[in-house]
Amino acid sequence: MVISLSAKGLTHGEIAAHLAEVYGAEVSKQMITAITDRVMEGLAEWQSRPLDAVYAVIFIDAINVKIREGQVANLCRPNTRLAA
């Protein structure tokens, strides 16, 4: 919750006020700073990790259409692709 609010541009004071109002949780600005700093450290470490040469990806998509021919029937047309 703290990270998503921070990512939306809320200040640490606004985040603390939101947590107090919605959840009744008293969280200091210093605690919010510690949380965001810790996550940013992990994020920097994750961003600098070595990458694999190939990543397999599956795209799954479908369309669901109601068709009326005497009765209402659902028609699902799946579309799946494998990319490497």
Side-chain angles (χ1 to χ4, degrees), residues 37-66:
D37 287 350
R38 185 82 181 265
V39 169
M40 293 307 290
E41 289 171 11
L43 180 60
E45 185 178 308
W46 178 81
Q47 287 176 327
S48 62
R49 78 193 185 288
L51 298 177
D52 292 339
V54 176
Y55 289 89
V57 178
I58 297 176
F59 295 98
I60 300 174
D61 190 15
I63 185 168
N64 189 12
V65 181
K66 291 194 182 285

Side-chain angles (χ1 to χ4, degrees), residues 2-60:
V2 171
I3 300 305
S4 65
L5 293 173
S6 180
K8 291 181 180 181
L10 274 68
T11 66
H12 292 178
E14 291 169 333
I15 294 171
H18 175 78
L19 294 174
E21 179 183 333
V22 174
Y23 300 105
E26 295 298 325
V27 181
S28 69
K29 292 184 215 177
Q30 293 78 17
M31 175 62 81
I32 294 169
T33 300
I35 292 169
T36 55
D37 287 350
R38 185 82 181 265
V39 169
M40 293 307 290
E41 289 171 11
L43 180 60
E45 185 178 308
W46 178 81
Q47 287 176 327
S48 62
R49 78 193 185 288
L51 298 177
D52 292 339
V54 176
Y55 289 89
V57 178
I58 297 176
F59 295 98
I60 300 174

Side-chain angles (χ1 to χ4, degrees), residues 66-78:
K66 291 194 182 285
I67 299 175
R68 184 178 300 269
E69 290 181 9
Q71 297 180 354
V72 175
N74 286 327
L75 174 64
C76 184
R77 298 267 188 208

